[in-house]
Amino acid sequence: MTWVVWRQHRAESLITLGVLAALAVFLLITGLEMHYTFQHQESFADCMAHLQERPGGCGFVQGGLPSEFWDQYQWLVGFPIFLLPLPVLLGALVGAPLVAREVEQRTFVLAWTQSISRVRWLGVKLALVLGAGVLLFGVLLAEVIWWWGPFAQYQGSFSGNAAFDFTGPVLPAAALLALSLGVFAGALTRRTVLAIFLTLALFLAIRLPVEMGWRPHFLPPITVTWPIEQTTPPVTVSVQDWLIDSGLIDAQSKPYKGAVLSYCDNPESFAQCAQSQGFQAYYLTYQPADRFWTFQWMETGIYVGVAALALLATVWLVRRRLS
């Protein structure tokens, strides 16, 4: 049975393996160069050693990074964004045809006439495909975490940027979710092309609300306020924290969402000007850095839970409806 599954899915397996291997080679080559530059450039080392002593950061910062390093490697900062579609592509191109193609080609009938039950037939397929998918993305995750190291020291991984998605278990969990949804879509529609589009729709319908709506509020964010007269906040929010929102509180004690008070451009009279417009205080809302792993495991739990439901529904469809 294992050999049959491999023969049936070796094409997409080899393509997936080839893409991930190419990514790994690219990350290894560029990562070694970045780490060497970061560790051996005297200006970088000095900046990191005295970062806390410099109110303005390192004094030559662009995009949160030392300007020399930024000028040399800024083209790589956005590269991990290209990793984000990989889980859904895996689900659409590997998970969706897993059952749907067998139904279309009627090859599952032959398998069931060889003393192989439906549950065993499906179980072997799921174990091999899901296991291989999660393992490959786990290996990719380890390399990406190492690769992102120099950027993480200046930009963090918890600041609401894409780094959160590839610096923890969320990445392999997203791959598991996509594969599970793909298999479910294939068992439900019994048509490969339709299952691919359904997989894309289901994955985005789950991933986007979690990432853009729920993630900042997994735990209640911390909000601090301070008087208009005080120019600096009472807390220090570092690049490792997640700054969610900041601004002014208006006369109705609500966060001000309008345009910046450009007409109060004199720093010496800004407080008086803002108060004359009814503004009461500044506010700052953030998630502290020590919640990073809590948020990672909470989001991972959501994806694993939905994946488990999708797999249970797939088993039911195969046992009751597939014929």
Side-chain angles (χ1 to χ4, degrees):
M1 183 65 189
T2 302
W3 174 249
V4 173
V5 174
W6 161 248
R7 290 292 299 270
Q8 288 179 320
H9 303 283
R10 59 183 174 182
E12 55 262 40
S13 299
L14 291 175
I15 292 173
T16 302
L17 187 61
V19 171
L20 294 179
L23 282 174
V25 171
F26 175 82
L27 293 172
L28 180 62
I29 294 174
T30 56
L32 286 173
E33 182 180 348
M34 283 195 304
H35 277 266
Y36 180 85
T37 302
F38 193 83
Q39 294 171 4
H40 291 82
Q41 290 270 347
E42 184 177 354
S43 59
F44 300 161
D46 180 70
C47 174
M48 290 302 298
H50 301 91
L51 185 61
Q52 300 300 325
E53 304 170 10
R54 305 186 183 191
C58 294
F60 48 90
V61 173
Q62 294 183 16
L65 294 163
S67 59
E68 298 174 38
F69 190 86
W70 174 262
D71 291 340
Q72 189 172 355
Y73 297 109
Q74 62 175 316
W75 65 282
L76 288 172
V77 174
F79 172 76
I81 295 178
F82 294 101
L83 301 178
L84 299 183
L86 288 181
V88 68
L89 292 177
L90 182 69
L93 301 180
V94 178
L98 193 70
V99 173
R101 188 171 61 187
E102 290 239 29
V103 176
E104 286 182 324
Q105 298 176 354
R106 305 296 295 175
T107 54
F108 72 99
V109 177
L110 176 62
W112 291 353
T113 60
Q114 308 299 315
S115 301
I116 298 176
S117 67
R118 299 184 182 207
V119 174
R120 182 187 172 192
W121 172 80
L122 180 62
V124 173
K125 281 179 170 290
L126 292 178
L128 292 177
V129 174
L130 296 182
V134 173
L135 177 62
L136 288 175
F137 271 80
V139 173
L140 179 64
L141 171 65
E143 186 167 11
V144 173
I145 291 176
W146 164 80
W147 183 87
W148 182 253
F151 295 117
Q153 297 187 54
Y154 283 95
Q155 295 188 327
S157 300
F158 192 36
S159 56
N161 55 35
F164 182 89
D165 294 278
F166 54 76
T167 50
V170 163
L171 182 63
L176 175 64
L177 172 66
L179 282 170
S180 302
L181 292 175
V183 177
F184 166 73
L188 180 66
T189 63
R190 309 184 192 186
R191 297 292 182 270
T192 301
V193 175
L194 184 57
I196 289 174
F197 285 104
L198 182 58
T199 301
L200 295 172
L202 289 174
F203 184 85
L204 293 177
I206 295 170
R207 186 74 187 271
L208 292 181
V210 171
E211 183 170 346
M212 297 182 178
W214 298 352
R215 182 187 293 172
H217 306 285
F218 282 160
L219 293 176
I222 297 174
T223 298
V224 294
T225 60
W226 65 98
I228 292 289
E229 298 83 1
Q230 183 178 334
T231 57
T232 58
V235 297
T236 300
V237 178
S238 72
V239 295
Q240 304 300 328
D241 299 313
W242 184 357
L243 177 60
I244 296 176
D245 197 9
S246 64
L248 290 165
I249 296 177
D250 62 19
Q252 287 74 41
S253 300
K254 296 181 179 179
Y256 177 65
K257 298 299 182 182
V260 177
L261 300 178
S262 58
Y263 45 82
C264 295
D265 56 358
N266 187 347
E268 296 180 357
S269 62
F270 179 84
Q272 183 178 0
C273 178
Q275 286 177 326
S276 69
Q277 301 298 320
F279 293 98
Q280 302 177 5
Y282 294 101
Y283 76 94
L284 186 150
T285 302
Y286 71 101
Q287 294 285 2
D290 58 8
R291 294 181 177 180
F292 173 80
W293 288 108
T294 301
F295 276 47
Q296 279 280 336
W297 288 112
M298 291 177 72
E299 188 163 335
T300 297
I302 293 174
Y303 294 154
V304 171
V306 176
L309 292 176
L311 293 177
L312 288 175
T314 301
V315 173
W316 183 86
L317 288 171
V318 169
R319 293 187 62 184
R320 302 296 181 183
R321 294 187 55 193
L322 194 61
S323 62

